[in-house]
Amino acid sequence: QVQLVESGGGLVQAGGSLRLSCAVSARTFGMGTMGWFRQAPGKDREFVAAVSRNGRTTIYADAVEGRFTIARDNAKNTVYLQMNSLKPEDTAVYYCAATFDISLGAQAGQYRYWGQGTQVTVSS
């Protein structure tokens, strides 16, 4: 019933930028916290960023603090991840996640709905 579709991944050089987008199905209304996770080959899925229902509060993983920005446009049912100053260690599949809960969280188990993922590759 709830579908999330990511876009915007690709190949960039270290120091470059990408903007990821996540569109939520039109039948959703009043979605709560939304977030981004990533998973590199051979690694567990890790938290990247999350944004509150009204977009006024955000949290970030230490590894991306100051470089990434999460934002949402509720009129478009879309959440964004602006990634600047990219590093090779940012290379991963990035997943959009959502929950109707309104509390911010960094645990994957707190999110009920997930996108299919989009590949981000950063070359040195």
Side-chain angles (χ1 to χ4, degrees):
Q1 182 176 343
V2 176
Q3 297 180 354
L4 283 66
V5 180
E6 302 100 331
S7 62
L11 173 64
V12 298
Q13 295 182 7
S17 298
L18 283 174
R19 188 182 74 165
L20 306 183
S21 299
C22 174
V24 183
S25 58
R27 290 192 175 186
T28 59
F29 182 82
M31 182 65 69
T33 298
M34 298 187 69
W36 289 93
F37 290 75
R38 66 187 184 186
Q39 188 167 21
K43 302 293 184 180
D44 292 333
R45 189 167 299 186
E46 66 176 355
F47 171 76
V48 176
V51 60
S52 63
R53 182 175 61 186
N54 61 13
R56 295 178 182 175
T57 307
T58 58
I59 57 173
Y60 297 92
D62 290 343
V64 306
E65 181 74 47
R67 299 188 297 119
F68 291 11
T69 302
I70 187 171
R72 67 193 296 167
D73 186 339
N74 289 336
K76 296 181 178 179
N77 294 323
T78 301
V79 63
Y80 305 94
L81 184 68
Q82 179 67 47
M83 305 186 295
N84 299 325
S85 301
L86 283 162
K87 305 175 181 179
E89 50 263 46
D90 295 318
T91 295
V93 177
Y94 283 70
Y95 297 90
C96 179
T99 175
F100 283 110
D101 293 335
I102 62 173
S103 60
L104 290 175
Q107 298 296 321
Q110 298 174 335
Y111 295 82
R112 184 177 183 88
Y113 308 102
W114 295 83
Q116 80 288 346
T118 185
Q119 177 71 46
V120 172
T121 302
V122 184
S123 62
S124 60

